[in-house]
Amino acid sequence: MTKFKVITAVLSFFILFSSCSVDDAGTSDFENASDDDIIEQSENDGLSDQSNETDEITDTGTDKDIFSDTDTDGDSETEICENGEGIYAITGTDNFGNYAGTVQIYDGKFIRIVTYSDLSFENKTASLVLTGTLSGDAELDVTFSLETVGFIESVGEMTRTGIDTAPVQFSGKLAFDGCNTYSGIITGSNKDGEYSFNDKWKWTDYTDGAPIWKNERIEVPNGPEPGETTKATLKETFKSFHELPDVAKYSDREEFKKFIHLMVIDTTDYDFYQKNPDIIRVIQKIPDTISLAESWMRNNAYSHKMSEKEVYFDTDISDIMINELGMVSHWNGEKYEQDGDSLLWTGVYVAALSMKYMITNDSSTLDKMLKSLNGIIACLDITPDPSADFARTLRLRLDNGDPEFHAGTGTKTCNGVPYNQIEYKENGNNDMSKGPKIGFLWAYQVLKDKPEHKTTITAMAEALKRMRENHPVFKDSKTNQASSDLILAVLMTPLGTGYMDDRLKYLTEGNGMFTVIKEYYESDLLVTNQYGVSDWSGNHLTVWGIYNDLITYRLLGNNENENFMKGIMTKAGNLMKYNRTGLYQLMTGTAGSSLDTDSVEDALWRMREIPLERAKYFVNWEINPGYCVSPLPELFWKNDWTTSNRKQSIRAYPVFEKSGTNYFWKDNILNGNIGGGGGESSSGLDFYIAYWFGRFSNVISFDE
């Protein structure tokens, strides 16, 4: 309790009693007068008049309560009685347990934050924050609402199926005890239950006008709203999509009619969780088990520093995602299950490890990188006919009759395993061809100054040459061939006289195709973004292709072409501006003609949103009354929405509010709204590559 000398207490009491009320309206939600301002205004109002002061004291009838006679040292101190605006300590009990916390009253509103003494979830203490409105003085009329539905459908035996989805409206009266304290019961109900909060609010301090908590969730359009003529055309074009039953029920929604998509950015409580990792804070919801689970997902993302996530995922990836041959796979508890796109993801993993090694010089990181690099080399080398195929992934030989897997032949080895004990998956394609190029370029930067690893560089060059000379994807007379030629020229640089002629050949042919590269990158086909609908997986491949070419020209010392590619990187970033694509934004934001701080910052927040544990609970945004389907089908240029499920959300939600994925950067950011519940253990590569790319690009600090 704040204490002052008697004369100060008397003056403050009269001033505040006559000038402060919860009904006073300020000019903004968080604007309050300071103590000095109150005194100045009070003096102008004539409160120094003695007769008025006496009247004020007589009218209150609380002199005995206000002034306690404790003048034991000749310098009397007293407790001030306050009500209305200020900071209050709260204690109480509700349907879920006992709690204590803080309330701030300001401008006819209040913020209420409590922590429960006997309510927890996943070994974390539960907390509840809510905001509401109030009126009155000697008695407060309090109102607020709490949501009943979020984005998780079920946890254990509890389900949201069939419940009342409307917010519960709460109201109640808090009586003033004459000095500092309000108390009373606030109640609300719906068809599923009755709820009550038995609160006691005790004044502790003045409020300085700054809110003690803020909900920072916002929605940002990812593009301009089309004009009415364009909207009419889109409506007619996608009439059959809008008539689908699961789409038609949203067609009267205002956001549906606008033909724009919304990026949901929610940084709320990030700083709180960094300091209080063992608390989960429910925001404006009934704090039941499912609401606690939803808050736990945010905590699981926001309570860990990026550097802590890196340590977790580094172990997770190497322990359960990399098989005996170095390929990205998925451990099922007994054996590794194949990932059909492993060659691409393994190339990304090698790039991440290479960046990490160049920063840390850690020998175990080098060992991991070499293991997966050997797997990539074998994917290009193990197929008997290089003109017909290269491998999408490798696994130890099972002979289980899977028609997509074939046994290798011969005694050449991959990580100590002979080819005849390995099975490779057929049908390497354009997408998979990006994996070796990504991996080889970054591994080269680690190994080029290490003579002891010259044989590995030679193996990379020979494997890529085998594809370049034979496989149609690698010798397409277009950008694939140009990048193959130039990467070969890079790889052959330190290999000596035996490779001089080949290096000159590939360098000449690659440089001679620059016009082809330039024409493609300057075309409108670079990145698809039509009314916020895009080829998200394709964008991921495109940005890696741009970056590969940029780094290749840098390694070849071709500054002019490198600068051209920087311009293309900036163009790619601008084409997808305001789409929360994470790694894509990080790459375009740091490797373009100039640093795009907005894109980088948005990418870093996307990374912060990634939880350690994914898909632990079943997510279903469609149960939320605020959910809305997009008026546009995903990949609408395929024109198959009547035969394939092309629904997507109009909103791109934070990662911690989505179902699981093992590589978020390739996914449609408007999807991931239904699924999960079984846990997704084989994940983290998406965060891992973005983290080390950010570290390598100097936009993430080592201890962030």
Side-chain angles (χ1 to χ4, degrees):
M1 178 64 68
T2 306
K3 293 186 176 182
F4 300 94
K5 296 183 186 298
V6 172
I7 189 169
T8 306
V10 173
L11 178 60
S12 298
F13 169 73
F14 291 148
I15 291 167
L16 293 168
F17 185 85
S18 61
S19 63
C20 293
S21 168
V22 293
D23 290 325
D24 293 340
T27 56
S28 69
D29 287 353
F30 305 113
E31 186 174 342
N32 287 301
S34 68
D35 292 346
D36 291 338
D37 292 335
I38 293 171
I39 292 173
E40 290 174 6
Q41 184 61 47
S42 300
E43 291 171 348
N44 292 334
D45 289 343
L47 285 184
S48 60
D49 182 81
Q50 183 64 42
S51 63
N52 289 341
E53 291 177 6
T54 304
D55 290 341
E56 292 282 1
I57 294 174
T58 303
D59 290 343
T60 64
T62 57
D63 298 350
K64 183 180 293 185
D65 295 329
I66 297 171
F67 303 113
S68 57
D69 187 7
T70 57
D71 189 8
T72 59
D73 60 359
D75 189 13
S76 177
E77 293 185 341
T78 66
E79 291 188 339
I80 297 179
C81 282
E82 292 291 351
N83 65 354
E85 295 195 355
I87 304 297
Y88 292 76
I90 178 177
T91 56
T93 183
D94 62 18
N95 300 55
F96 303 95
N98 300 317
Y99 50 78
T102 304
V103 172
Q104 178 187 31
I105 298 177
Y106 65 99
D107 195 23
K109 304 178 179 70
F110 69 92
I111 300 171
R112 177 184 181 277
I113 305 174
V114 300
T115 300
Y116 290 88
S117 59
D118 45 9
L119 180 63
S120 63
F121 185 84
E122 295 286 347
N123 298 315
K124 294 180 182 288
T125 302
S127 173
L128 172 65
V129 59
L130 60 89
T131 62
T133 60
L134 46 72
S135 61
D137 191 358
E139 184 177 67
L140 296 182
D141 290 305
V142 177
T143 61
F144 58 87
S145 64
L146 296 182
E147 302 288 340
T148 60
V149 176
F151 56 90
I152 292 179
E153 183 170 316
S154 60
V155 176
E157 298 299 318
M158 187 175 189
T159 180
R160 296 297 197 211
T161 303
I163 74 163
D164 188 343
T165 61
V168 178
Q169 303 299 322
F170 285 82
S171 63
K173 293 183 181 296
L174 301 183
F176 186 56
D177 73 348
C179 187
N180 295 325
T181 303
Y182 292 100
S183 60
I185 298 176
I186 309 166
T187 61
S189 64
N190 62 8
K191 72 179 184 66
D192 300 308
E194 297 181 354
Y195 308 94
S196 65
F197 297 93
N198 191 344
D199 279 11
K200 182 177 181 180
W201 301 3
K202 187 174 180 62
W203 187 90
T204 60
D205 203 353
Y206 300 103
T207 177
D208 63 2
I212 61 173
W213 177 85
K214 185 178 180 182
N215 192 330
E216 298 176 325
R217 191 179 184 93
I218 60 173
E219 295 183 347
V220 179
N222 71 343
E225 183 176 344
E228 294 304 316
T229 301
T230 301
K231 287 181 185 177
T233 301
L234 292 172
K235 189 174 182 179
E236 181 61 29
T237 301
F238 298 108
K239 181 180 178 181
S240 59
F241 178 67
H242 294 177
E243 290 173 346
L244 295 173
D246 286 343
V247 178
K249 60 186 178 182
Y250 298 99
S251 60
D252 289 334
R253 300 278 290 268
E254 287 304 313
E255 62 261 56
F256 188 95
K257 297 175 183 178
K258 290 183 177 181
F259 285 92
I260 58 174
H261 295 93
L262 301 168
M263 305 293 104
V264 181
I265 304 171
D266 194 348
T267 63
T268 310
D269 283 341
Y270 176 79
D271 291 335
F272 173 80
Y273 282 134
Q274 287 284 298
K275 298 174 182 177
N276 301 276
D278 295 325
I279 297 177
I280 50 176
R281 182 179 276 175
V282 176
I283 300 173
Q284 210 78 30
K285 295 177 186 174
I286 301 292
D288 59 21
T289 299
I290 294 180
S291 294
L292 290 169
E294 291 169 346
S295 300
W296 177 86
M297 290 178 71
R298 181 193 298 262
N299 171 287
N300 196 246
Y302 280 174
S303 64
H304 305 282
K305 298 168 76 172
M306 287 197 194
S307 55
E308 293 169 346
K309 291 183 182 182
E310 189 280 335
V311 172
Y312 177 89
F313 288 129
D314 180 73
T315 302
D316 194 53
I317 294 168
S318 60
D319 285 354
I320 65 173
M321 289 185 65
I322 305 301
N323 71 9
E324 300 88 347
L325 302 168
M327 303 301 295
V328 169
S329 306
H330 307 285
W331 180 252
N332 67 7
E334 297 180 357
K335 67 178 187 301
Y336 286 102
E337 300 282 356
Q338 58 100 5
D339 185 306
D341 295 337
S342 178
L343 183 57
L344 173 59
W345 309 135
T346 306
V348 169
Y349 181 52
V350 167
L353 291 169
S354 299
M355 295 176 196
K356 180 176 182 178
Y357 180 78
M358 285 188 278
I359 294 170
T360 66
N361 201 36
D362 173 60
S363 60
S364 65
T365 298
L366 179 61
D367 292 341
K368 293 175 186 177
M369 187 273 283
L370 290 170
K371 177 181 178 181
S372 288
L373 179 62
N374 289 337
I376 294 173
I377 293 170
C379 282
L380 304 187
D381 185 59
I382 197 171
T383 54
D385 182 0
S387 66
D389 210 359
F390 61 98
R392 298 178 72 99
T393 191
L394 308 172
R395 70 183 185 189
L396 296 181
R397 188 166 179 173
L398 295 178
D399 292 326
N400 65 354
D402 188 331
E404 293 186 319
F405 277 86
H406 309 279
T409 59
T411 57
K412 291 179 69 173
T413 64
C414 172
N415 291 313
V417 181
Y419 279 8
N420 59 21
Q421 296 301 311
I422 296 173
E423 291 178 342
Y424 67 88
K425 187 172 184 176
E426 64 183 23
N427 291 331
N429 60 10
N430 176 66
D431 291 1
M432 295 305 102
S433 73
K434 302 298 190 294
K437 294 177 181 179
I438 295 168
F440 288 177
L441 267 179
W442 284 96
Y444 170 81
Q445 293 177 75
V446 170
L447 303 179
K448 62 185 177 66
D449 297 320
K450 296 180 180 296
E452 67 272 25
H453 291 292
K454 183 177 179 179
T455 55
T456 302
I457 297 177
T458 302
M460 287 192 287
E462 289 295 337
L464 184 56
K465 178 182 177 182
R466 185 175 190 258
M467 291 294 108
R468 163 60 182 85
E469 294 297 326
N470 296 285
H471 199 280
V473 165
F474 290 84
K475 60 169 192 173
D476 62 356
S477 300
K478 298 179 183 178
T479 55
N480 279 335
Q481 179 175 324
S483 64
S484 298
D485 287 342
L486 294 174
I487 292 172
L488 278 168
V490 168
L491 295 176
M492 292 176 177
T493 299
L495 297 185
T497 56
Y499 285 88
M500 288 182 61
D501 290 343
D502 276 352
R503 182 183 185 277
L504 180 60
K505 167 192 169 184
Y506 292 124
L507 181 62
T508 302
E509 290 185 3
N511 283 334
M513 295 184 69
F514 181 69
T515 54
V516 175
I517 293 176
K518 190 171 185 290
E519 180 180 354
Y520 168 71
Y521 283 136
E522 290 181 338
S523 74
D524 294 332
L525 301 176
L526 180 63
V527 173
T528 300
N529 183 10
Q530 299 183 56
Y531 310 107
V533 178
S534 190
D535 178 7
W536 307 101
S537 178
N539 294 345
H540 175 262
L541 295 173
T542 296
V543 77
W544 271 112
I546 298 170
Y547 195 65
N548 279 352
D549 289 343
L550 188 158
I551 295 299
T552 301
Y553 285 127
R554 179 180 299 170
L555 292 172
L556 291 171
N558 190 330
N559 295 331
E560 182 178 353
N561 287 1
E562 179 189 350
N563 288 333
F564 171 80
M565 295 310 304
K566 288 181 178 179
I568 296 302
M569 190 67 89
T570 296
K571 174 186 175 181
N574 291 336
L575 287 171
M576 294 302 295
K577 199 77 171 177
Y578 309 118
N579 289 275
R580 307 196 68 220
T581 49
L583 178 64
Y584 184 101
Q585 292 171 292
L586 195 60
M587 296 176 77
T588 60
T590 57
S593 299
S594 60
L595 181 67
D596 182 347
T597 54
D598 289 342
S599 291
V600 169
E601 185 60 21
D602 203 16
L604 297 182
W605 273 110
R606 222 35 167 163
M607 294 171 62
R608 295 181 185 112
E609 292 172 8
I610 294 178
L612 295 189
E613 299 181 61
R614 309 185 199 187
K616 189 167 185 174
Y617 305 107
F618 184 74
V619 169
N620 183 3
W621 266 104
E622 293 189 6
I623 66 174
N624 190 297
Y627 176 80
C628 185
V629 162
S630 169
L632 300 171
E634 67 169 346
L635 305 177
F636 57 70
W637 46 87
K638 293 191 175 184
N639 199 28
D640 63 352
W641 55 79
T642 59
T643 57
S644 300
N645 181 11
R646 295 299 184 185
K647 283 193 314 176
Q648 57 184 358
S649 173
I650 208 166
R651 291 176 174 83
Y653 294 105
V655 181
F656 55 75
E657 294 180 354
K658 288 178 173 285
S659 60
T661 175
N662 59 12
Y663 196 83
F664 181 72
W665 311 137
K666 69 174 175 57
D667 291 349
N668 179 351
I669 62 174
L670 301 171
N671 274 342
N673 308 307
I674 300 178
E680 176 60 71
S681 57
S682 294
S683 59
L685 180 56
D686 43 18
F687 179 88
Y688 197 73
I689 179 59
Y691 177 82
W692 285 110
F693 188 96
R695 286 285 306 275
F696 190 81
S697 302
N698 295 314
V699 294
I700 299 176
S701 63
F702 76 95
D703 62 345
E704 185 170 351

